[in-house]
Structure formats: structure tokens, C-alpha cells
Amino acid sequence: MPIMLWTAGLDRRPAPDTQRWKESMRSRSLLRFRPARSVCWALCVMLISTAAALGTGLAAPAPSVAATTDDVVSSHWIGLGYNQNPQPPSGTSWNTADWNRMVSRTDYMKPGVVRVMFNLPWFWSGTDAGGTYDFTSSAYLNAEKVIKHYVDKGVPVVSGLFGIDNLTYTSPNTAAIQTTLVKRLQAVGAAPAYWVGVNEPNVANDSKSHTYADWQTATTALASTFAAAGVDTTRTVISGADSAEAGISSYGGDLGRQAAPECNSGCNSALVWKLAALNTFTAQVYADSATDTAITFQTSLDGTVWKNLAVAPPTPVALVTGRNGGGMWSYTYTASGITGSKYLRLSVASSTLEHSIGSMHIANNSTTVEDSLDGLTLTQADMNTGTWKGNNSWWLRSAQSGLLGASEAHFYGQELYGADPAYVEPVMDEAVSQIRLAAPGGPVLLGETGMKALQYPDGTKDYRFALDTTQPLRMADLAVQEARSGVDGAAAWCLDGYASTTFCGMWGRGDDDPDKVSAHSTALRPWFYTWSLLTRYLPNGSTIHAPAEPTGVRVLAAQLPSGGWTFVLVNRTSVAQTVRLTEPTGWITLNKYLYTDGATPSTDANGFPTKVGTVAKNFTNGQTLTVGANSVLVLTTEP
């Protein structure tokens, strides 16, 4: 009788690396390469137990960050940044006033990563049969100038093509045109650190509809042309898949979206886990129905004789996130007090409904097994009689492909659709853990992030949210959750806007009153205040910490490369909240910045944040901080 046994993390395929990434890793303390927090805690307990067993003959070592801190996030932090339109807000070329405004504001922000994409007509025109390059056009030179500006400052740039116009995605000529562009950028000192090919190739619209197989063909061709042309891949690595991944939220971050096989009580195969003396389990299941009864659990001592396990029916939770509007319900099944069992089986009765398994947590009195059901451990397909749906996430599959030097995708919070803002961290935590298993050691980036805009019936998007006073809280909330989840960097959509209807930025383009916030004014919008503080005071090389959080409050701590600290507290509740933090800081003096929804923050003549006081504390043995209602509090040792 075929039984499928699961053991987490069997398939750990190495991903290609780059000299730049290796050098950056070697330059950091090895103490920052942490396992997941739960694993770190278990190791700490094991080490303490081992020391006790050795007796008191040896002197205890001096305390260290590694020994005293169990909230370090397993990331290689690059930083926060933004997407930038490289074309000037007025005219065909950058004038002095526009350039100086952009440079002044972005210099204050000190971004960790910037995404600058190309439109094909800026430098090339033609079809698969042939065409012409033009590296003298104003549009191309504008983009080159912007990218070189960041490269000269040491800021990594993500780049690629927004679209391919008359070209064919999988054509070798499309890869050759991209390669020529990258070679040109490298030659003039404007080499992007990450090249993502084509923007969101997994999103179908009137002009494109690609499969994952198309992405593999196109990216394989790109790697081949890079190699043949001598592209320096220590300076520019192929990244991706640049896919839109907002839909992962409806499956609890399960990028593989494992479907449970249809199987009645007498079936001979299903999803099966093995753990001696099985005692408890928690399963996360998603279904297309709010009244689903198709899920069945069974236990067995020998894997041959099975008995039904009575499990209390959970209350389904409607999902407003993912799949651009929901349509799924989440079921959390729990059971305890199980005896005489070594195997647990989950199956679905014959059903026309979609069922997807997000995760399984099983335990006995001494051992816990976490299975994200991401498909990475599937090594013997003949042991599974069900249907695997591992094809949904291009982000995960591309990470497994061996074609990439960095994993990069897009993720937008769906708070504007009514989602609980707190869903982001658990979803991204699960997703990032799967990416890390698929491509250990490589960067994990969000090339676009922000709020998913509401849409009008004609398909256009409503960007008025970018002007309001709550956006600073939303974006700070999103950034903290993403950093806590383990991503290495994230670029907000966007800096100062794109088309006239896409006024997504921290300021705008146009000739509206420059002293008043509007869709087409260059006045700084409220969310510049919080996002600029986070890009500035969570710099590349920081060690990210994820302290415990009260309900409705997001908390982030970061030890900076300088040795200093930054703390970020985001209170999404209507009352003040007090948070206790314990971090190995010693006595430090922190500059205090505060944003409160509805209140005017403290700024200088340029509109840049100014501190509202200082705080002197030693967090080593624990200290409390209070953050007001609907507020963002940033405390940092940096000037």
C-alpha cells in the first residue's frame, strides 16, 4: 500500500550565487545567520541543558547577542526603497530644478534598494525579425542617468523591461536585446545589481498571456545570451520571476498550494505524516465553500489499519484577500489527546470544490513537525495518487529552477479591500520560508510592495489612498511585517508617480500648487514621513529583530551596522499601547520621531522629519515604550 511520508526540507537545491553577494555575506558577522526563531529557541534550550550536564567546573562565557537574543530574523537585510520612474516630471530631459529636488529628497531617504524599469521604445524598436538600437535618445539617457546616480552611491538597483511590445517573450532575439542593454549599462558604470527580465510575466492581459514554461524558456535564453556576450554576472544577476504574488494571501502563504487527494475512508493513499506517539495536530485547510464537510482525518499505528478520527468542525473564516477578491474560506482543524498512533492521514471526499492544504503541525510529547506543504519535499511522485497543484506560484517555482541569482516578486497588502492588516506577516513568513528552502543563501526581494489599489468598473485604479493621512500607518505597518517575515529588501510602489492616473508616490508630478498635497503636486505627501524614516534608519547590513507584539501593534528592532539601534512601533489601535522590549543594547540615547494620524508631524523647511525629543534607556534587561493611538514611533541612535 503506497504511503507518502513527509519530512520537512529534503529538497534543498543550491541556487547560483554571485561574488557581490558572497562578499557582502563575508563582511557581516556570522552571528547574523540565524535559524528560524523557533529553531533558535530550541537550540538555546539544548545548549543550556548541555552546559548544566557538564557541571560547574567550567566558567560560563560572557553574555553575547547570540546567547541572549532569540528574536533575530533569518534575513540578510538590504533595506527598503522604492520604484522610480526615471523620466523627468517635466520636459524630455532632466532639468536642474527637477533633478535637484529628486536628489535632495532621495539623499535624505538613503534607500537600500531602488527599482528602475525600462520601456523598450526608449532604446530599441522593431520586431523579432530585426530592429534598431538607439542609446542616444533622451528617454534612454534619462534612465541611464538615474540608475548611475544610485550605482555611484552603492545602492543596488533592480531593473528589467516593463513590456516587450512587438517582441515574442520566448524569442532568442528578446533575450539578445536585453543582454545588449545590460552590457551597455555595465560599460557606462550603471550596472543594475538585479535584472528581472519582464515585469509580472504571470499576469495575463490584452497584450500578453504567458505560462511558467514560457518563463523558463525566456530565462534560460537570457542566461545563455548573458554568458555568450560576457555579461559580468558578479555585477548583474538574473533575478525573478518578478511575478505578482498577492494571491498567496488566500492560502496562508502556501506558495505550492498543495491539493488534498480525493479519497474515501478505505482509500490506499492520501496525504500522510509519520510521527511516533502522535498526540496532537493542527491543520490549515482552504475550501471554496463556507459549509465544507469533505475533510477526513484518520490515524494508524502500522500504516495498514486505519481508524477514523473525530475532529471538531472548525468555524470557517471568509477570506477577503488573495485571488483579487476572495472566494475561499479558511478552516483550522485541531485535535489533541490522540493515542496509539504513528500515522496521520488527511483526505477529501469526492468533491467538485477546490481544497488546498496550507500547513500541518503535528507533535508528540517531545517532537514537533511543521509541514508547510509547499511541494519541496516531493521526491517520489509515484507515492502520491492525488493531484499536486505546485504550478501556481512562479515565485516558488522560479526559486527552484536554478536559473536565478536572487528571488524577487511583488506583494501588495489588501487592507483597502477590508483585509485585517495583521495577515501580512504570517503569510509572508510562510512564503519566505519556502523560498529560502528552494534557494538557500540567495537574496529574497520584493520588487514592488504597497497597498493594492481599489479598481473602478472600467479597470482603472483609485490612487487617492496615497494622499491621505492613514497611508503613513499602512505603509509602516506593511514594512515592519515584511521585515519581520525575513525578506531581505522591499521597494515601495512608488517614488513620485508614473502616468497621470498613477499618482502612487510620496510626492507627485505636475503643476498643482507645490505647497498643497494633491494628485499632481510636488508637495511631499504624508507617507513620505514614515517611509523615509524606515529607509533611512533601517540601513543595509542591519540585523533585524522581531520582538513580541501586543495585539494591533507592530514592533521591530534593528541593530545597525554602526552598532547602534533603531526601534519601530506601529499602533493600529485607537488607544495608546505600551510595549516591553528586551534587546542587548546597553545604555543608548535614541532620537524620537512620531507620526500620528490626523496630527501634523514635526518637519524642517524641506518637509523632512525632525526629532521631537530623545529617549535614554538600557533595554538589556527590559524596558517599556509607549506609542499613541494610530501612531508610528521611530527611535534611533542615528542622527
Side-chain angles (χ1 to χ4, degrees):
M1 180 184 77
I3 297 294
M4 183 170 65
L5 305 181
W6 288 75
T7 303
L10 290 178
D11 186 5
R12 298 182 180 230
R13 301 174 194 164
D17 215 336
T18 69
Q19 187 64 30
R20 170 178 293 187
W21 185 250
K22 292 175 183 175
E23 289 173 356
S24 70
M25 293 303 98
R26 281 197 294 268
S27 69
R28 302 183 189 183
S29 167
L30 292 177
L31 295 178
R32 293 177 187 162
F33 289 85
R34 309 285 187 186
R37 292 190 291 276
S38 60
V39 176
C40 182
W41 178 249
L43 290 174
C44 291
V45 172
M46 180 182 70
L47 290 171
I48 292 169
S49 300
T50 303
L54 291 174
T56 58
L58 297 175
S64 68
V65 174
T68 61
T69 302
D70 66 353
D71 65 354
V72 176
V73 175
S74 290
S75 64
H76 315 300
W77 184 249
I78 294 172
L80 299 170
Y82 42 80
N83 283 253
Q84 180 171 350
N85 181 353
Q87 301 306 320
S90 57
T92 58
S93 299
W94 283 94
N95 62 45
T96 300
D98 289 338
W99 182 261
N100 288 345
R101 180 192 305 111
M102 183 274 291
V103 169
S104 172
R105 292 174 174 181
T106 58
D107 277 358
Y108 173 80
M109 297 175 73
K110 297 182 178 179
V113 62
V114 175
R115 183 170 180 257
V116 180
M117 298 292 281
F118 280 83
N119 283 322
L120 197 64
W122 295 351
F123 70 97
W124 193 87
S125 60
T127 66
D128 288 330
T132 58
Y133 294 94
D134 183 3
F135 292 116
T136 65
S137 72
S138 295
Y140 167 77
L141 293 174
N142 292 333
E144 179 188 286
K145 180 177 182 178
V146 169
I147 294 176
K148 191 173 188 304
H149 167 72
Y150 290 112
V151 171
D152 287 345
K153 290 178 175 293
V155 179
V157 174
V158 180
S159 192
L161 300 180
F162 262 132
I164 54 174
D165 292 4
N166 295 323
L167 297 178
T168 302
Y169 184 44
T170 55
S171 168
N173 192 41
T174 303
I177 291 166
Q178 294 181 65
T179 300
T180 301
L181 173 59
V182 173
K183 283 282 288 184
R184 165 79 185 192
L185 293 170
Q186 289 191 342
V188 298
Y194 307 102
W195 188 261
V196 299
V198 176
N199 177 68
E200 296 187 347
N202 66 326
V203 177
N205 57 35
D206 292 339
S207 62
K208 69 176 183 180
S209 179
H210 306 307
T211 66
Y212 177 76
D214 292 336
W215 178 87
Q216 279 189 304
T217 299
T219 307
T220 299
L222 188 61
S224 296
T225 57
F226 267 30
V231 170
D232 186 348
T233 53
T234 67
R235 298 170 65 195
T236 305
V237 299
I238 296 175
S239 310
D242 203 61
S243 48
E245 295 289 344
I248 67 173
S249 57
S250 66
Y251 295 89
D254 176 28
L255 293 176
R257 297 185 193 171
Q258 168 63 43
E262 293 183 359
C263 178
N264 294 316
S265 60
C267 70
N268 64 359
S269 182
L271 298 181
V272 178
W273 297 263
K274 179 182 179 182
L275 181 64
L278 173 67
N279 182 264
T280 67
F281 77 82
T282 300
Q284 195 75 31
V285 180
Y286 302 90
D288 269 333
S289 168
T291 58
D292 185 63
T293 58
I295 299 296
T296 299
F297 296 95
Q298 294 172 308
T299 59
S300 174
L301 184 59
D302 57 8
T304 301
V305 178
W306 295 88
K307 58 182 179 181
N308 291 334
L309 181 67
V311 179
T315 301
V317 178
L319 296 167
V320 296
T321 61
R323 302 204 328 182
N324 297 325
M328 297 290 283
W329 281 259
S330 172
Y331 293 77
T332 303
Y333 294 89
T334 60
S336 60
I338 303 169
T339 59
S341 299
K342 185 185 293 186
Y343 297 93
L344 174 68
R345 183 163 73 185
L346 181 156
S347 62
V348 179
S350 180
S351 173
T352 59
L353 301 173
E354 179 184 353
H355 291 82
S356 187
I357 316 302
S359 63
M360 174 64 80
H361 168 111
I362 63 176
N364 58 26
N365 289 331
S366 62
T367 304
T368 297
V369 176
E370 299 280 359
D371 190 347
S372 64
L373 287 170
D374 52 33
L376 296 178
T377 60
L378 181 62
T379 56
Q380 299 183 47
D382 60 327
M383 297 180 71
N384 173 38
T385 61
T387 301
W388 287 77
K389 293 186 178 179
N391 300 339
N392 300 63
S393 174
W394 289 28
W395 193 16
L396 177 59
R397 298 185 76 192
S398 64
Q400 295 171 302
S401 70
L403 293 169
L404 302 178
S407 293
E408 183 270 348
H410 303 170
F411 179 82
Y412 283 83
Q414 302 200 31
E415 183 176 334
L416 298 175
Y417 284 83
D420 180 352
Y423 89 90
V424 171
E425 184 177 341
V427 164
M428 288 303 301
D429 185 75
E430 174 61 31
V432 171
S433 69
Q434 293 181 45
I435 297 298
R436 296 242 182 253
L437 283 172
V444 178
L445 303 172
L446 297 178
E448 291 183 20
T449 196
M451 292 296 111
K452 185 173 178 62
L454 297 174
Q455 290 189 336
Y456 296 113
D458 65 359
T460 58
K461 296 180 179 180
D462 183 353
Y463 281 102
R464 287 175 296 177
F465 68 90
L467 311 179
D468 69 37
T469 60
T470 305
Q471 182 67 354
L473 273 72
R474 297 188 197 108
M475 291 300 291
D477 187 345
L478 181 69
V480 167
Q481 292 190 69
E482 289 174 345
R484 286 172 60 101
S485 75
V487 301
D488 298 318
W493 184 265
C494 59
L495 184 69
D496 64 345
Y498 284 84
S500 61
T501 56
T502 313
F503 49 95
C504 50
M506 288 171 271
W507 66 90
R509 297 166 164 247
D511 55 8
D512 287 2
D513 185 347
D515 296 318
K516 182 179 179 181
V517 170
S518 72
H520 306 296
S521 166
T522 57
L524 289 173
R525 297 170 185 169
W527 73 280
F528 173 86
Y529 188 93
T530 56
W531 197 259
S532 66
L533 288 173
L534 298 183
T535 58
R536 181 180 178 89
Y537 293 126
L538 295 173
N540 183 312
S542 297
T543 300
I544 303 299
H545 295 245
E549 300 174 317
T551 300
V553 182
R554 317 294 177 244
V555 183
L556 186 73
Q559 186 167 20
L560 311 181
S562 64
W565 286 82
T566 292
F567 297 94
V568 183
L569 281 69
V570 184
N571 182 4
R572 301 304 303 274
T573 76
S574 58
V575 295
Q577 300 283 344
T578 298
V579 178
R580 184 170 180 83
L581 294 171
T582 303
E583 301 292 352
T585 63
W587 277 101
I588 53 176
T589 299
L590 297 155
N591 296 311
K592 177 181 178 180
Y593 297 85
L594 180 66
Y595 179 87
T596 300
D597 193 358
T600 301
S602 177
T603 61
D604 64 14
N606 295 311
F608 302 160
T610 55
K611 66 182 182 182
V612 294
T614 59
V615 175
K617 285 182 181 287
N618 181 350
F619 293 88
T620 302
N621 295 315
Q623 288 285 343
T624 59
L625 293 171
T626 299
V627 55
N630 300 308
S631 295
V632 178
L633 175 65
V634 177
L635 300 168
T636 182
T637 55
E638 297 299 291

